[in-house]
Amino acid sequence: KYVIVIDASKGILYYVKIIQTRMIKRGIQMIKFLKSFSVLSTAGMLLILLGGALVTKTGSEDGCGNSWPLCEGQVIPSQFTFEMVVELSHRLVSGAVGIFIVILAVLAWRHLKTKEVKFLSFLSVFFLIVQALIGAAAVMWGQSDFVLAAHFGISLVSFASVFLLMLLIFEIDQKWDTKSLFIKKKHRLEIYALIIYTMIVVYTGALVRHTESHLVCGDWPFCTNSSPFAFGDYNLNQWIQMGHRLAAGILFVWTLVLFIRMVKQYKSNKVMYWSWIITLLLISFQVFFGAMIIFTVLNLGVALMHALVISCYFGMLSYLSLLSYRSAKWEKASIASAEKTTNKNSDISLIAKDNI
């Protein structure tokens, strides 16, 4: 209708150009929105993690009784206690952030459409639901301390999924170089092993929290510095506490050793270089806040920082694992391509011989 000009071809080209420009502008606006929304969603996941830690550390697990999703069987309780406010606030924040994450996953799936984005979008929603169901089951039917300790680990995986989705969204404009990075197989395996071991350490830390073993050892780094090897005098809670300290110490040393090797090997790649610097700083802060829990006699702020830092540390390891997966995928594709080329050349040689 609108291409009624002397040179119809120019009119058509001009019309198409307008459409393309509008689509590009909309795409740029959507990416900007997704970046901001993903940051808010990731921050919200951290709030959920901290809220869960706050509920446990203040003994507010039964603040709403055994009623879920209602509180004491009511939408708005008639009477409020401190524990009820903490538990109810955690539920409200979790519900609001859950809506954010579902919206983020749908928009990312729809507009970005890469396999990594689709997979992480699914994981974000899936583990959010699993996390909510485990929390509901703990309220309604109760769970043992050893089962409840796994709740924080699942929450970490849920956070890592949203965190990685955010990083993928920020990778779109390619302001940092990840395509040129290739991580060797032996280093990839070490990164995978480290993140699996981190989950074990996180579980032991959550077990300390749920069994109320924070202050069963009055000294640091040993349970009793004056008699550091008096293992025969330990009770179950002290074994849990010291087992966590040992596991955390190994995690720190392992991270330090890997940091030295990775920075030396990949210092020319800024993403790898700075990722490992941030990872080392986070595990160092984690050890510091872990010790400060003892020295401050379980100060609430220090304890929450302890939970926050390990969440960020796990998020960084998750990103390094994603980079490792990409390298493995690229290596596999390269080998397959090389084999295909070799076979093709062999076939050509055979045909040439037959012709001779």
Side-chain angles (χ1 to χ4, degrees), residues 9 49-50 52 55 70 121 128 209 218 256 270 285 287 291 295 297 303 310-311 333 349 352 354-355:
S9 62
L49 285 168
L50 291 177
V55 166
L70 303 178
S121 297
L128 181 72
R209 189 168 66 197
L256 178 61
K270 291 184 178 180
F285 281 124
V287 172
F295 297 141
V297 194
I310 194 61
S311 302
S349 299
D354 292 339
N355 291 334

Side-chain angles (χ1 to χ4, degrees), residues 214-231:
H214 304 88
L215 302 176
V216 293
C217 293
D219 292 332
W220 193 90
F222 298 103
C223 194
T224 306
N225 288 339
S226 58
S227 53
F229 303 111
F231 303 126

Side-chain angles (χ1 to χ4, degrees), residues 94-342:
S94 298
V97 173
I99 294 172
F100 269 57
I101 291 170
V102 171
I103 294 173
L104 175 66
V106 171
L107 291 177
W109 183 296
R110 182 178 177 183
H111 292 280
L112 302 184
K113 299 180 181 180
T114 66
K115 289 183 179 180
E116 288 180 346
V117 168
K118 288 183 177 181
F119 177 69
L120 288 172
S121 297
F122 169 76
L123 282 189
S124 299
V125 176
F126 175 76
F127 278 106
L128 181 72
I129 295 171
V130 172
Q131 182 182 352
L133 292 176
I134 291 177
V139 170
M140 298 174 70
W141 301 296
Q143 298 287 346
S144 70
D145 293 331
F146 289 86
V147 174
L148 286 173
H151 190 191
F152 187 70
I154 293 173
S155 300
L156 272 186
V157 176
S158 181
F159 161 74
S161 302
V162 179
F163 177 70
L164 290 178
L165 187 56
M166 178 192 72
L167 292 181
L168 288 183
I169 292 170
F170 273 84
E171 275 187 356
I172 290 174
D173 51 17
Q174 299 180 354
K175 289 186 177 180
W176 64 66
D177 181 24
T178 57
K179 290 186 177 180
S180 64
L181 173 64
F182 176 75
I183 303 174
K184 295 180 179 180
K185 185 176 181 179
K186 62 179 181 179
H187 295 150
R188 297 198 300 262
L189 294 176
E190 287 179 299
I191 291 172
Y192 297 149
L194 183 62
I195 194 170
I196 293 171
Y197 181 72
T198 300
M199 289 296 294
I200 297 173
V201 177
V202 166
Y203 178 81
T204 62
L207 194 59
V208 167
R209 189 168 66 197
H210 285 286
T211 57
E212 298 182 356
S213 303
H214 304 88
L215 302 176
V216 293
C217 293
D219 292 332
W220 193 90
F222 298 103
C223 194
T224 306
N225 288 339
S226 58
S227 53
F229 303 111
F231 303 126
D233 297 331
Y234 285 6
N235 56 39
L236 176 61
N237 293 79
Q238 287 173 321
W239 275 113
I240 291 173
Q241 169 65 231
M242 292 308 299
H244 174 61
R245 290 189 194 182
L246 176 62
I250 294 172
L251 181 63
F252 173 76
V253 173
W254 193 354
T255 305
L256 178 61
V257 171
L258 268 184
F259 164 79
I260 295 170
R261 293 174 61 190
M262 296 296 184
V263 168
K264 184 179 180 180
Q265 182 73 37
Y266 304 99
K267 60 182 177 182
S268 59
N269 187 280
K270 291 184 178 180
V271 172
M272 197 69 165
Y273 179 80
W274 286 106
S275 293
W276 276 102
I277 287 179
I278 293 170
T279 301
L280 181 65
L281 287 174
L282 287 171
I283 195 63
S284 300
F285 281 124
Q286 181 69 6
V287 172
F288 170 75
F289 285 118
M292 290 303 295
I293 287 177
I294 306 300
F295 297 141
T296 62
V297 194
L298 198 57
N299 178 273
L300 183 59
V302 172
L304 292 179
M305 285 300 298
H306 192 58
L308 174 64
V309 173
I310 194 61
S311 302
C312 296
Y313 172 81
F314 185 80
M316 289 304 303
L317 287 185
S318 300
Y319 183 56
L320 290 168
S321 297
L322 175 62
L323 295 177
S324 298
Y325 166 76
R326 287 176 177 174
S327 294
K329 187 177 179 182
W330 180 85
E331 184 180 46
K332 185 177 180 180
S334 298
I335 293 172
S337 178
E339 290 177 350
K340 186 176 180 181
T341 302
T342 302

